[in-house]
Amino acid sequence: MTDVLAGYRVVELASWTFVPSAGAVLADWGADVIKIEHPETGDPQRGLISSGLVPGDKGVNHFIEQPNRGKRSIGLDTSTPEGLQVLMKLVETADVFLTNLLPESRRRMGVDVEHVRARNPKIIYARGHGYGPKGDAADRGGYDLASYWARGGIGDAYAPHDGGYPPFQRAAFGDLYGGLAIAAGITAALLKRERTGEPSVVDVSLLNAAIWQLGMDIVGAGVLGADLPKFPLTQMPNPAVNLYRTRDGRYLAFVLLQGDRFWADFCTRLGRPDLITDERYVDSAARFVNREQCITELREIFAAQDLAHWEKAFEGFDGVWDVVRTAREVHDDPQVIANGYLPRTVDANDNEFALAASPVQFDETPLRLTRAPGHGEHTDDLLGELGYPPDDIIDLKVKNVVL
Protein backbone atom coordinates (compact mmCIF):
# COMPACT_ATOMS: atom_id res chain seq x y z
CA MET A 1 0.00 0.00 0.00
CA THR A 2 1.85 3.06 -1.24
CA ASP A 3 -1.24 5.23 -1.78
CA VAL A 4 -1.50 6.19 1.88
CA LEU A 5 -3.23 9.48 1.01
CA ALA A 6 -5.67 8.01 -1.51
CA GLY A 7 -8.99 9.82 -1.33
CA TYR A 8 -7.51 13.17 -0.31
CA ARG A 9 -7.57 16.08 -2.74
CA VAL A 10 -5.08 18.96 -2.88
CA VAL A 11 -5.61 22.19 -4.83
CA GLU A 12 -2.22 23.70 -5.61
CA LEU A 13 -2.00 27.36 -6.61
CA ALA A 14 1.78 27.63 -6.87
CA SER A 15 4.66 27.72 -9.31
CA TRP A 16 8.42 27.07 -9.57
CA THR A 17 9.72 24.27 -7.33
CA PHE A 18 9.50 24.89 -3.57
CA VAL A 19 5.76 24.57 -2.97
CA PRO A 20 4.98 22.43 -6.07
CA SER A 21 7.48 19.86 -4.81
CA ALA A 22 5.28 19.49 -1.71
CA GLY A 23 2.40 18.69 -4.03
CA ALA A 24 4.61 16.14 -5.78
CA VAL A 25 5.29 14.34 -2.49
CA LEU A 26 1.58 14.26 -1.67
CA ALA A 27 0.90 12.88 -5.16
CA ASP A 28 3.63 10.28 -4.56
CA TRP A 29 1.64 9.17 -1.53
CA GLY A 30 -1.62 8.86 -3.45
CA ALA A 31 -3.35 12.23 -3.11
CA ASP A 32 -5.22 13.76 -6.06
CA VAL A 33 -3.22 16.94 -6.62
CA ILE A 34 -4.75 19.55 -8.93
CA LYS A 35 -2.26 22.08 -10.27
CA ILE A 36 -3.73 25.47 -11.12
CA GLU A 37 -1.90 27.14 -14.03
CA HIS A 38 -2.60 30.34 -15.92
CA PRO A 39 -4.11 29.53 -19.33
CA GLU A 40 -1.48 31.49 -21.26
CA THR A 41 1.76 31.22 -19.31
CA GLY A 42 1.35 28.13 -17.18
CA ASP A 43 4.00 27.44 -14.56
CA PRO A 44 6.99 29.67 -15.51
CA GLN A 45 9.28 26.65 -15.33
CA ARG A 46 7.65 25.31 -18.47
CA GLY A 47 9.56 28.00 -20.37
CA LEU A 48 13.02 27.30 -18.98
CA ILE A 49 14.02 24.96 -21.83
CA SER A 50 12.86 27.31 -24.60
CA SER A 51 14.69 30.17 -22.87
CA GLY A 52 17.90 28.14 -22.79
CA LEU A 53 18.24 28.17 -19.00
CA VAL A 54 17.66 24.42 -18.70
CA PRO A 55 19.22 21.88 -21.06
CA GLY A 56 16.60 19.55 -22.46
CA ASP A 57 16.67 16.39 -24.52
CA LYS A 58 13.74 15.31 -26.69
CA GLY A 59 11.58 17.91 -24.99
CA VAL A 60 11.90 16.47 -21.47
CA ASN A 61 11.86 19.37 -19.00
CA HIS A 62 13.11 17.84 -15.77
CA PHE A 63 12.41 21.11 -13.94
CA ILE A 64 8.73 20.47 -14.59
CA GLU A 65 8.76 16.69 -14.28
CA GLN A 66 10.49 16.42 -10.90
CA PRO A 67 8.24 18.74 -8.83
CA ASN A 68 4.99 18.10 -10.74
CA ARG A 69 4.80 14.36 -11.41
CA GLY A 70 1.54 12.63 -10.71
CA LYS A 71 -0.62 15.77 -10.72
CA ARG A 72 -3.52 16.94 -12.85
CA SER A 73 -3.32 20.38 -14.48
CA ILE A 74 -6.12 22.83 -15.14
CA GLY A 75 -5.50 26.00 -17.15
CA LEU A 76 -7.41 28.62 -15.17
CA ASP A 77 -7.34 32.42 -15.02
CA THR A 78 -8.17 33.01 -11.36
CA SER A 79 -8.05 36.80 -11.82
CA THR A 80 -11.44 36.69 -13.56
CA PRO A 81 -14.72 36.30 -11.63
CA GLU A 82 -15.55 33.15 -13.59
CA GLY A 83 -12.08 31.69 -12.99
CA LEU A 84 -12.20 32.43 -9.28
CA GLN A 85 -15.59 30.74 -9.12
CA VAL A 86 -14.12 27.60 -10.74
CA LEU A 87 -11.25 27.69 -8.26
CA MET A 88 -13.64 27.93 -5.32
CA LYS A 89 -15.70 25.04 -6.66
CA LEU A 90 -12.48 23.00 -6.65
CA VAL A 91 -11.75 24.23 -3.13
CA GLU A 92 -15.13 22.93 -1.98
CA THR A 93 -14.07 19.42 -3.02
CA ALA A 94 -10.58 19.57 -1.52
CA ASP A 95 -8.89 18.66 1.74
CA VAL A 96 -5.88 20.94 1.26
CA PHE A 97 -5.22 24.30 -0.37
CA LEU A 98 -1.53 24.77 -1.14
CA THR A 99 0.01 28.06 -2.29
CA ASN A 100 3.18 30.12 -2.53
CA LEU A 101 1.45 33.42 -3.30
CA LEU A 102 2.64 36.42 -1.29
CA PRO A 103 0.23 37.89 1.30
CA GLU A 104 -0.82 40.88 -0.82
CA SER A 105 -1.45 38.67 -3.86
CA ARG A 106 -3.58 36.29 -1.79
CA ARG A 107 -5.68 39.15 -0.44
CA ARG A 108 -6.03 40.87 -3.81
CA MET A 109 -7.04 37.65 -5.57
CA GLY A 110 -9.48 36.64 -2.82
CA VAL A 111 -7.71 33.37 -1.97
CA ASP A 112 -6.43 34.10 1.54
CA VAL A 113 -7.35 31.89 4.48
CA GLU A 114 -10.65 33.59 5.25
CA HIS A 115 -11.75 33.46 1.60
CA VAL A 116 -10.95 29.80 1.15
CA ARG A 117 -12.36 28.79 4.54
CA ALA A 118 -15.59 30.62 3.71
CA ARG A 119 -16.11 28.05 0.94
CA ASN A 120 -14.66 25.07 2.81
CA PRO A 121 -14.40 25.49 6.60
CA LYS A 122 -12.55 22.18 7.08
CA ILE A 123 -9.83 22.72 4.51
CA ILE A 124 -6.17 22.70 5.52
CA TYR A 125 -4.49 25.85 4.26
CA ALA A 126 -0.77 25.39 3.55
CA ARG A 127 1.63 28.24 2.69
CA GLY A 128 5.23 28.20 1.56
CA HIS A 129 7.22 31.34 2.31
CA GLY A 130 10.68 32.72 1.77
CA TYR A 131 10.91 34.29 5.22
CA GLY A 132 7.85 33.28 7.24
CA PRO A 133 4.39 34.80 7.85
CA LYS A 134 5.52 37.42 10.40
CA GLY A 135 8.14 40.14 10.65
CA ASP A 136 9.44 42.81 8.31
CA ALA A 137 10.32 40.29 5.57
CA ALA A 138 6.96 38.52 5.53
CA ASP A 139 5.92 40.22 2.29
CA ARG A 140 9.22 39.59 0.49
CA GLY A 141 9.46 37.00 -2.24
CA GLY A 142 12.11 34.38 -1.81
CA TYR A 143 13.97 31.82 -3.88
CA ASP A 144 16.12 29.26 -2.11
CA LEU A 145 19.41 30.87 -3.15
CA ALA A 146 18.42 34.00 -1.20
CA SER A 147 16.17 32.81 1.62
CA TYR A 148 17.70 29.41 2.33
CA TRP A 149 21.29 29.41 1.08
CA ALA A 150 22.17 33.05 1.84
CA ARG A 151 19.93 34.28 4.69
CA GLY A 152 19.76 30.85 6.32
CA GLY A 153 23.54 30.52 6.65
CA ILE A 154 24.02 27.45 4.45
CA GLY A 155 26.26 29.25 1.95
CA ASP A 156 28.51 30.64 4.67
CA ALA A 157 28.76 27.23 6.30
CA TYR A 158 30.30 25.89 3.09
CA ALA A 159 32.39 28.96 2.30
CA PRO A 160 36.17 28.47 2.40
CA HIS A 161 37.72 29.05 5.80
CA ASP A 162 40.07 31.62 4.29
CA GLY A 163 37.25 34.00 3.40
CA GLY A 164 36.76 33.10 -0.26
CA TYR A 165 33.46 33.17 -2.12
CA PRO A 166 30.80 30.74 -0.87
CA PRO A 167 29.95 27.98 -3.35
CA PHE A 168 26.87 28.54 -5.50
CA GLN A 169 24.06 26.20 -4.49
CA ARG A 170 22.80 23.50 -6.81
CA ALA A 171 19.44 23.96 -8.51
CA ALA A 172 16.41 23.80 -6.18
CA PHE A 173 18.67 22.62 -3.35
CA GLY A 174 16.58 24.19 -0.60
CA ASP A 175 13.30 24.02 -2.52
CA LEU A 176 13.08 20.24 -2.61
CA TYR A 177 14.00 19.88 1.06
CA GLY A 178 11.55 22.62 2.04
CA GLY A 179 8.80 21.03 -0.05
CA LEU A 180 9.24 17.76 1.82
CA ALA A 181 8.75 19.68 5.07
CA ILE A 182 5.50 21.20 3.75
CA ALA A 183 4.22 17.75 2.79
CA ALA A 184 5.06 16.43 6.25
CA GLY A 185 3.25 19.35 7.88
CA ILE A 186 0.17 18.81 5.72
CA THR A 187 0.10 15.12 6.57
CA ALA A 188 0.28 15.90 10.29
CA ALA A 189 -2.52 18.45 9.87
CA LEU A 190 -4.66 15.83 8.13
CA LEU A 191 -4.09 13.48 11.06
CA LYS A 192 -5.05 16.22 13.52
CA ARG A 193 -8.22 16.94 11.55
CA GLU A 194 -9.13 13.26 11.54
CA ARG A 195 -8.77 13.13 15.32
CA THR A 196 -10.21 16.51 16.35
CA GLY A 197 -12.19 17.77 13.38
CA GLU A 198 -10.16 20.98 13.43
CA PRO A 199 -8.27 22.17 10.32
CA SER A 200 -4.89 23.90 10.53
CA VAL A 201 -2.94 26.57 8.72
CA VAL A 202 0.45 25.07 7.82
CA ASP A 203 3.45 27.35 7.29
CA VAL A 204 6.94 26.43 6.09
CA SER A 205 9.60 28.94 5.10
CA LEU A 206 12.86 28.40 3.28
CA LEU A 207 14.57 30.36 6.05
CA ASN A 208 13.28 28.00 8.75
CA ALA A 209 14.19 24.99 6.60
CA ALA A 210 17.78 26.25 6.51
CA ILE A 211 17.81 26.84 10.27
CA TRP A 212 16.64 23.27 10.87
CA GLN A 213 19.22 21.83 8.50
CA LEU A 214 22.02 23.96 9.96
CA GLY A 215 20.74 23.51 13.50
CA MET A 216 23.95 22.11 14.99
CA ASP A 217 25.90 25.17 13.83
CA ILE A 218 23.27 27.77 14.70
CA VAL A 219 22.41 26.37 18.11
CA GLY A 220 26.10 25.88 18.84
CA ALA A 221 26.84 29.46 17.84
CA GLY A 222 24.21 30.67 20.27
CA VAL A 223 25.58 28.56 23.10
CA LEU A 224 29.18 29.56 22.47
CA GLY A 225 28.51 33.16 21.51
CA ALA A 226 30.44 32.85 18.25
CA ASP A 227 30.38 30.97 14.97
CA LEU A 228 31.75 27.44 15.19
CA PRO A 229 35.24 27.07 13.70
CA LYS A 230 35.70 25.83 10.16
CA PHE A 231 38.43 23.25 9.80
CA PRO A 232 40.28 23.01 6.50
CA LEU A 233 40.67 19.42 5.36
CA THR A 234 44.35 19.56 6.31
CA GLN A 235 43.45 20.24 9.96
CA MET A 236 40.45 18.03 10.64
CA PRO A 237 40.41 17.07 14.35
CA ASN A 238 40.06 13.38 13.49
CA PRO A 239 42.17 12.44 10.44
CA ALA A 240 39.98 9.36 10.02
CA VAL A 241 36.95 11.59 9.38
CA ASN A 242 38.02 13.26 6.16
CA LEU A 243 38.14 13.21 2.38
CA TYR A 244 41.11 11.73 0.49
CA ARG A 245 41.99 12.05 -3.19
CA THR A 246 43.08 9.09 -5.26
CA ARG A 247 45.66 9.03 -8.05
CA ASP A 248 42.96 9.23 -10.72
CA GLY A 249 41.31 12.27 -9.18
CA ARG A 250 38.47 10.62 -7.29
CA TYR A 251 37.64 11.10 -3.61
CA LEU A 252 36.95 8.76 -0.71
CA ALA A 253 35.01 9.81 2.39
CA PHE A 254 35.89 8.12 5.69
CA VAL A 255 33.74 8.56 8.81
CA LEU A 256 35.60 6.63 11.51
CA LEU A 257 34.12 8.46 14.49
CA GLN A 258 35.43 5.70 16.75
CA GLY A 259 38.92 6.07 15.37
CA ASP A 260 40.70 3.81 17.85
CA ARG A 261 38.32 0.95 17.11
CA PHE A 262 39.10 0.96 13.39
CA TRP A 263 42.62 2.37 13.20
CA ALA A 264 44.48 -0.96 13.05
CA ASP A 265 42.37 -2.41 10.26
CA PHE A 266 42.39 0.94 8.45
CA CYS A 267 46.19 1.06 8.41
CA THR A 268 46.45 -2.59 7.42
CA ARG A 269 44.21 -2.02 4.40
CA LEU A 270 46.32 1.00 3.51
CA GLY A 271 49.31 -1.30 3.36
CA ARG A 272 50.92 0.64 6.20
CA PRO A 273 50.76 -1.52 9.34
CA ASP A 274 53.66 0.51 10.72
CA LEU A 275 51.26 3.39 11.38
CA ILE A 276 49.33 1.28 13.90
CA THR A 277 52.04 1.58 16.54
CA ASP A 278 53.56 4.86 15.41
CA GLU A 279 53.59 6.94 18.61
CA ARG A 280 52.39 9.99 16.68
CA TYR A 281 49.19 8.21 15.64
CA VAL A 282 48.78 5.41 18.17
CA ASP A 283 45.44 6.68 19.53
CA SER A 284 42.87 9.42 18.98
CA ALA A 285 44.62 11.87 21.30
CA ALA A 286 47.95 11.44 19.53
CA ARG A 287 46.34 11.75 16.10
CA PHE A 288 44.64 14.98 17.18
CA VAL A 289 47.92 16.52 18.32
CA ASN A 290 49.68 15.43 15.12
CA ARG A 291 46.68 15.75 12.82
CA GLU A 292 48.29 17.86 10.10
CA GLN A 293 51.20 15.47 9.78
CA CYS A 294 48.87 12.46 9.87
CA ILE A 295 46.57 13.87 7.20
CA THR A 296 49.54 14.73 4.97
CA GLU A 297 50.80 11.18 5.24
CA LEU A 298 47.37 9.68 4.55
CA ARG A 299 46.95 11.95 1.54
CA GLU A 300 50.21 10.71 0.07
CA ILE A 301 49.16 7.09 0.59
CA PHE A 302 45.77 7.50 -1.10
CA ALA A 303 47.25 9.57 -3.92
CA ALA A 304 49.57 6.70 -4.85
CA GLN A 305 46.77 4.42 -6.13
CA ASP A 306 43.65 4.69 -8.29
CA LEU A 307 40.11 4.46 -6.96
CA ALA A 308 39.71 0.85 -8.10
CA HIS A 309 42.62 -0.19 -5.90
CA TRP A 310 41.11 1.42 -2.79
CA GLU A 311 37.64 0.06 -3.45
CA LYS A 312 39.10 -3.42 -3.45
CA ALA A 313 41.34 -2.72 -0.44
CA PHE A 314 38.42 -1.53 1.72
CA GLU A 315 35.90 -4.13 0.61
CA GLY A 316 34.32 -5.60 3.74
CA PHE A 317 35.79 -2.91 6.03
CA ASP A 318 33.63 -2.45 9.13
CA GLY A 319 34.24 1.29 9.34
CA VAL A 320 31.94 3.67 7.48
CA TRP A 321 33.32 4.94 4.17
CA ASP A 322 32.24 5.53 0.60
CA VAL A 323 33.20 7.04 -2.72
CA VAL A 324 32.22 10.61 -3.60
CA ARG A 325 29.96 9.96 -6.58
CA THR A 326 28.80 12.20 -9.40
CA ALA A 327 25.11 12.75 -10.13
CA ARG A 328 25.44 10.56 -13.24
CA GLU A 329 26.95 7.75 -11.18
CA VAL A 330 24.18 7.99 -8.59
CA HIS A 331 21.65 7.74 -11.42
CA ASP A 332 23.02 4.28 -12.32
CA ASP A 333 24.03 3.13 -8.81
CA PRO A 334 22.96 -0.52 -8.29
CA GLN A 335 22.00 0.24 -4.66
CA VAL A 336 19.74 3.05 -5.84
CA ILE A 337 18.15 0.84 -8.48
CA ALA A 338 17.67 -2.09 -6.09
CA ASN A 339 15.66 0.09 -3.71
CA GLY A 340 13.60 1.82 -6.39
CA TYR A 341 14.87 5.28 -5.50
CA LEU A 342 14.77 6.40 -9.14
CA PRO A 343 11.55 4.96 -10.57
CA ARG A 344 11.16 5.35 -14.31
CA THR A 345 8.24 6.89 -16.12
CA VAL A 346 7.21 7.77 -19.68
CA ASP A 347 6.01 11.18 -20.85
CA ALA A 348 3.37 12.01 -23.44
CA ASN A 349 5.98 11.76 -26.21
CA ASP A 350 7.07 8.26 -25.11
CA ASN A 351 10.36 9.52 -23.66
CA GLU A 352 11.39 7.25 -20.79
CA PHE A 353 13.37 8.71 -17.89
CA ALA A 354 13.88 8.41 -14.14
CA LEU A 355 12.46 10.66 -11.45
CA ALA A 356 13.84 11.05 -7.93
CA ALA A 357 11.44 9.39 -5.52
CA SER A 358 10.56 11.30 -2.37
CA PRO A 359 12.52 9.62 0.45
CA VAL A 360 9.77 7.70 2.23
CA GLN A 361 8.72 4.16 1.39
CA PHE A 362 5.74 2.36 2.88
CA ASP A 363 5.89 -1.39 3.47
CA GLU A 364 9.18 -1.65 1.57
CA THR A 365 7.36 -0.81 -1.65
CA PRO A 366 9.00 1.60 -4.14
CA LEU A 367 6.85 4.49 -5.28
CA ARG A 368 5.04 4.28 -8.60
CA LEU A 369 5.43 7.63 -10.33
CA THR A 370 3.70 9.03 -13.38
CA ARG A 371 4.76 11.97 -15.53
CA ALA A 372 3.96 15.61 -14.93
CA PRO A 373 0.80 16.84 -16.67
CA GLY A 374 0.83 18.93 -19.79
CA HIS A 375 -0.24 22.55 -19.45
CA GLY A 376 -4.00 22.43 -18.80
CA GLU A 377 -4.14 18.76 -19.78
CA HIS A 378 -7.01 17.93 -17.42
CA THR A 379 -9.08 21.09 -17.72
CA ASP A 380 -12.06 19.44 -19.41
CA ASP A 381 -12.03 16.45 -17.08
CA LEU A 382 -11.93 18.57 -13.94
CA LEU A 383 -14.64 20.95 -15.12
CA GLY A 384 -16.77 17.95 -15.96
CA GLU A 385 -16.23 16.54 -12.47
CA LEU A 386 -17.44 19.86 -11.06
CA GLY A 387 -20.66 19.53 -13.05
CA TYR A 388 -19.99 22.03 -15.83
CA PRO A 389 -21.91 21.03 -18.99
CA PRO A 390 -20.00 20.99 -22.31
CA ASP A 391 -21.53 24.26 -23.53
CA ASP A 392 -20.40 26.09 -20.39
CA ILE A 393 -16.89 24.68 -20.77
CA ILE A 394 -16.76 25.96 -24.35
CA ASP A 395 -17.97 29.34 -23.17
CA LEU A 396 -15.23 29.55 -20.55
CA LYS A 397 -12.66 28.69 -23.21
CA VAL A 398 -13.99 31.35 -25.58
CA LYS A 399 -13.61 33.91 -22.77
CA ASN A 400 -10.02 32.66 -22.14
CA VAL A 401 -10.95 31.80 -18.56
CA VAL A 402 -9.72 28.25 -19.02
CA LEU A 403 -7.35 26.48 -21.36
Side-chain angles (χ1 to χ4, degrees):
M1 176 63 179
T2 58
D3 293 339
V4 294
L5 294 183
Y8 290 98
R9 173 172 283 186
V10 179
V11 173
E12 176 192 295
L13 183 60
S15 57
W16 301 106
T17 298
F18 171 34
V19 172
S21 70
V25 174
L26 299 173
D28 287 355
W29 297 345
D32 178 20
V33 181
I34 300 170
K35 182 177 181 67
I36 310 297
E37 301 190 66
H38 191 276
E40 294 182 7
T41 60
D43 189 318
Q45 291 204 136
R46 292 191 183 275
L48 291 184
I49 284 183
S50 59
S51 67
L53 292 176
V54 173
D57 182 45
K58 299 178 181 178
V60 177
N61 185 344
H62 59 280
F63 270 65
I64 282 291
E65 295 291 344
Q66 180 62 27
N68 292 291
R69 73 285 193 94
K71 302 176 185 178
R72 296 196 286 170
S73 169
I74 178 172
L76 182 63
D77 186 354
T78 57
S79 68
T80 65
E82 297 97 330
L84 183 60
Q85 177 64 12
V86 172
L87 175 64
M88 289 304 175
K89 283 182 174 292
L90 286 169
V91 162
E92 290 172 354
T93 71
D95 299 280
V96 179
F97 183 79
L98 176 60
T99 186
N100 66 352
L101 291 176
L102 292 172
E104 176 56 32
S105 294
R106 297 197 304 267
R107 290 189 291 268
R108 175 173 45 80
M109 293 176 61
V111 295
D112 216 343
V113 178
E114 64 270 21
H115 306 118
V116 171
R117 287 267 173 87
R119 299 295 289 264
N120 185 343
K122 293 297 185 181
I123 200 166
I124 291 162
Y125 195 104
R127 305 179 293 207
H129 311 263
Y131 299 98
K134 300 177 182 178
D136 292 342
D139 292 330
R140 288 179 59 184
Y143 290 108
D144 57 347
L145 176 60
S147 310
Y148 171 89
W149 190 258
R151 184 76 172 259
I154 304 290
D156 179 74
Y158 286 99
H161 70 283
D162 60 3
Y165 271 84
F168 202 85
Q169 73 153 40
R170 302 304 296 170
F173 195 73
D175 288 341
L176 294 170
Y177 169 68
L180 182 65
I182 296 174
I186 288 171
T187 306
L190 287 170
L191 177 61
K192 174 197 170 188
R193 193 184 68 176
E194 292 295 319
R195 290 181 171 178
T196 68
E198 294 298 320
S200 300
V201 175
V202 176
D203 287 299
V204 175
S205 73
L206 290 165
L207 176 58
N208 198 171
I211 291 169
W212 171 253
Q213 190 147 28
L214 200 62
M216 294 299 185
D217 282 44
I218 294 173
V219 173
V223 171
L224 299 175
D227 289 324
L228 274 63
K230 296 178 183 177
F231 296 103
L233 294 180
T234 55
Q235 297 176 21
M236 293 294 284
N238 179 354
V241 178
N242 211 337
L243 299 171
Y244 290 99
R245 191 171 191 257
T246 65
R247 184 170 61 187
D248 51 350
R250 301 303 303 272
Y251 290 89
L252 296 163
F254 285 89
V255 196
L256 309 184
L257 296 174
Q258 297 171 287
D260 291 342
R261 175 183 173 187
F262 300 109
W263 183 250
D265 192 15
F266 179 69
C267 294
T268 300
R269 291 170 182 269
L270 289 176
R272 290 293 302 276
D274 57 297
L275 298 180
I276 298 171
T277 56
D278 189 315
E279 62 181 11
R280 298 169 299 170
Y281 315 135
V282 70
D283 57 25
S284 295
R287 290 192 293 277
F288 174 76
V289 172
N290 300 291
R291 58 190 180 277
E292 290 192 56
Q293 189 174 0
C294 183
I295 291 169
T296 297
E297 194 151 359
L298 292 176
R299 282 187 167 191
E300 291 174 355
I301 294 169
F302 280 108
Q305 300 289 344
D306 290 343
L307 174 62
H309 170 88
W310 295 120
E311 286 184 303
K312 184 176 181 181
F314 282 93
E315 185 176 352
F317 180 51
D318 286 337
V320 175
W321 71 283
D322 220 317
V323 179
V324 177
R325 303 290 187 188
T326 68
R328 190 65 182 86
E329 289 173 331
V330 173
H331 185 277
D332 297 332
D333 189 323
Q335 185 67 18
V336 171
I337 295 170
N339 284 281
Y341 294 156
L342 283 168
R344 300 189 71 79
T345 190
V346 178
D347 69 10
N349 297 317
D350 292 327
N351 296 309
E352 182 179 337
F353 52 91
L355 291 169
S358 49
V360 178
Q361 286 188 358
F362 301 97
D363 305 317
E364 299 183 2
T365 303
L367 295 171
R368 301 184 301 273
L369 304 184
T370 57
R371 63 176 176 84
H375 180 198
E377 179 179 346
H378 303 96
T379 297
D380 288 6
D381 291 342
L382 287 166
L383 291 175
E385 291 175 17
L386 293 176
Y388 283 86
D391 287 347
D392 288 355
I393 295 175
I394 293 173
D395 184 56
L396 289 173
K397 290 187 175 182
V398 170
K399 294 178 179 178
N400 294 322
V401 174
V402 301
L403 175 64

